Amino acid sequence: MEEKKLRTGYTTGTCAAAAAKAAAVFLLTGRIAEEVEVELPGGTFCRQRLEVLGGGVLQAEGVELSGIPGAGVSENLAPGWDSKRQVSGWFGVKKDAGDDPDVTHGAVIYAQAERLEQRKCPERCYELDEFPGIYVTGGPGVGLATRSGLSCPPGYYAINPGPRRMILSETAHVCAEAGETGPILIRIAVPEGIGLSEKTFNPRLGIEGGISILGTTGIVKPMSEEALKETIRLDIHMQAAAGNQVILMAPGNYGEKFFETEMGISPGKAVLCSNYVKAAVQMLQEEGVKKVLFASHAGKLVKVSAGMENTHSRFGDGRMEQMECLTRRVYGEEIPDREGLCSRVRECNTTDEALKYLLEKGLASQVLEEMAQEARRVMEGWSRELGGDLEVAVAAFSSACGLTKSTENAADCLNQWRQQEGTQQ
């Protein structure tokens, strides 16, 4: 069967640039276009259909955007438009993310254009020297950066460099064609952005109150794995930029919950590396991090201890084989019915089932501890392969069995992390 070709889409940045162009066209010429063409960073062009707010007010998630009375989508002048109008209405583009599983798919990215009295960059707005007198900022549903280390300064709206340039460029082209020489401000809003942001990494990254306007190429390719890895890299980069030399890390929510319940650490402090454990080790190393405390449920950690660089099931399983190997390593020939015990471990469906069985035999703690030690050896081995000397501490746990075992350096690593946190508060 021929593999289906995945459909590409467009980024929030491309949608914002198209909406900004439409808003500027209306403000300066009175035309309400059905669609506009924008240039992507790679030099190609795309056309985007417009949604324009007519009379009344759009309300979503507590956000209100005022429409243009009597306006409909056409190439004709809007009723009542005059050349001295100061503010356009809101023009929107519905994001089509193609076949990428993007939470912002279907969201409408709105833009508004405004004439300014002075050629001076307003507070919390972006500008570029090559587009003098053109400014862009965010509005309702666009997140605000609250931490350093992002591509947007703290206190500014999360509109990344690529989209900024696209928005400013498209607006500048409209001004040139209309003969406009006065300063213009573009505002971007996403009425659904507040709710959508809770489904993204923004709260963890320190971007509050909305989504980010993103896009390097302007095109969304269905490569969600790469997007996730870049998010992990950004999380690590931000922590390193804040001066952190010791970092907490877990594959996902189970590990984060373990940090919270067992160590009293607030959610959002640990890097969540998903299945990309070796890739995360490389990122830590590249950012100059010295130590990492890695907390993982046994189901993931047993794969790491077996040397699996990516723990996703499509790259293999081997959990029960590794559980058997760890059991054999811990217990010598003198254990009664050793072969029967190891065979029973191998026949289990999950690591929790195997550990429950070993718990009945009084053997689970030692096997879990060996798993943690072996995972440490593997992860530090990856670091050495890459020319580094990252120190790894591991905390292994099985909630079903009520067991926790750590490498001997875990307590010291945690204490250093707490001291690091104290100096930054």
Side-chain angles (χ1 to χ4, degrees), residues 93-319:
V93 173
K94 181 178 288 189
K95 181 179 173 181
D96 178 0
D99 288 326
D100 191 68
D102 190 325
V103 300
T104 58
H105 175 72
V108 181
I109 316 300
Y110 285 96
Q112 179 190 68
E114 178 184 356
R115 284 188 169 100
L116 299 179
E117 294 182 359
Q118 296 181 339
R119 188 180 288 270
K120 179 181 178 182
C121 186
E123 185 179 359
R124 293 199 305 183
C125 293
Y126 297 103
E127 62 179 334
L128 288 174
D129 290 343
E130 61 193 280
F131 307 116
I134 311 295
Y135 313 107
V136 62
T137 190
V142 179
L144 275 171
T146 64
R147 299 181 194 167
S148 58
L150 294 165
S151 57
C152 308
Y156 281 67
Y157 284 98
I159 304 173
N160 275 18
R164 282 179 228 160
R165 175 174 291 277
M166 290 179 68
I167 293 166
L168 295 172
S169 175
E170 294 298 334
T171 306
H173 288 158
V174 174
C175 289
E177 291 177 359
E180 176 64 50
T181 58
I184 299 291
L185 171 64
I186 300 292
R187 289 187 185 85
I188 307 298
V190 187
E192 302 166 75
I194 298 172
L196 290 173
S197 68
E198 298 302 318
K199 303 174 185 178
T200 73
F201 278 84
N202 274 12
R204 175 179 299 279
L205 297 175
I207 299 172
E208 300 178 354
I211 65 167
S212 300
I213 305 301
L214 302 171
T216 303
T217 64
I219 298 172
V220 174
K221 295 181 180 179
M223 292 167 43
S224 55
E225 280 197 12
E226 290 304 314
L228 178 54
K229 283 196 280 188
E230 285 307 306
T231 302
I232 296 165
R233 184 184 301 279
L234 177 58
D235 199 354
I236 292 171
H237 170 74
M238 287 182 61
Q239 294 209 28
N244 294 355
Q245 292 291 293
V246 184
I247 280 181
L248 307 180
M249 187 168 79
N253 293 332
Y254 287 165
E256 185 172 54
K257 189 67 175 177
F258 174 83
F259 277 128
E260 182 181 9
T261 57
E262 299 297 323
M263 301 179 181
I265 295 169
S266 302
K269 296 291 186 180
V271 171
L272 302 186
C273 66
S274 186
N275 296 303
Y276 312 106
V277 185
K278 184 176 182 180
V281 167
Q282 182 174 357
M283 294 171 194
L284 290 166
Q285 194 165 291
E286 290 171 349
E287 292 291 343
V289 175
K290 300 299 182 186
K291 298 182 181 182
V292 60
L293 174 54
F294 183 60
S296 174
H297 181 273
K300 287 280 189 187
L301 194 66
V302 71
K303 293 185 177 184
V304 177
S305 73
M308 289 188 66
E309 300 175 0
N310 186 315
T311 59
H312 195 283
S313 58
R314 75 173 179 273
F315 293 101
D317 190 354
R319 290 170 298 161

Side-chain angles (χ1 to χ4, degrees), residues 297-298 319-320 323 344-360 364 398 400-401:
H297 181 273
R319 290 170 298 161
M320 295 307 106
M323 285 296 295
R344 176 69 180 84
V345 167
R346 188 174 63 252
E347 291 169 0
C348 291
N349 292 319
T350 66
T351 52
D352 278 338
E353 182 185 347
L355 285 169
K356 284 179 180 179
Y357 171 72
L358 291 169
L359 191 63
E360 294 172 1
S398 167
C401 299

Side-chain angles (χ1 to χ4, degrees), residues 348-408:
C348 291
N349 292 319
T350 66
T351 52
D352 278 338
E353 182 185 347
L355 285 169
K356 284 179 180 179
Y357 171 72
L358 291 169
L359 191 63
E360 294 172 1
K361 301 296 182 180
L363 308 173
S365 290
Q366 295 92 323
V367 171
L368 192 62
E369 183 175 4
E370 180 63 21
M371 186 191 300
Q373 297 288 359
E374 186 61 21
R376 177 188 178 183
R377 286 190 283 268
V378 167
M379 293 172 72
E380 290 184 342
W382 289 336
S383 175
R384 288 192 294 273
E385 281 177 21
L386 299 166
D389 58 352
L390 180 71
E391 180 181 342
V392 178
V394 177
F397 63 91
S398 167
S399 302
C401 299
L403 289 176
T404 299
K405 283 293 177 179
S406 302
T407 53
E408 64 277 2

Side-chain angles (χ1 to χ4, degrees), residues 327-346:
T327 303
R328 288 183 180 278
R329 187 180 303 171
V330 169
Y331 300 106
E333 299 287 345
E334 68 277 7
I335 298 295
D337 194 24
R338 179 173 184 262
E339 290 305 314
L341 185 147
C342 291
S343 176
R344 176 69 180 84
V345 167
R346 188 174 63 252

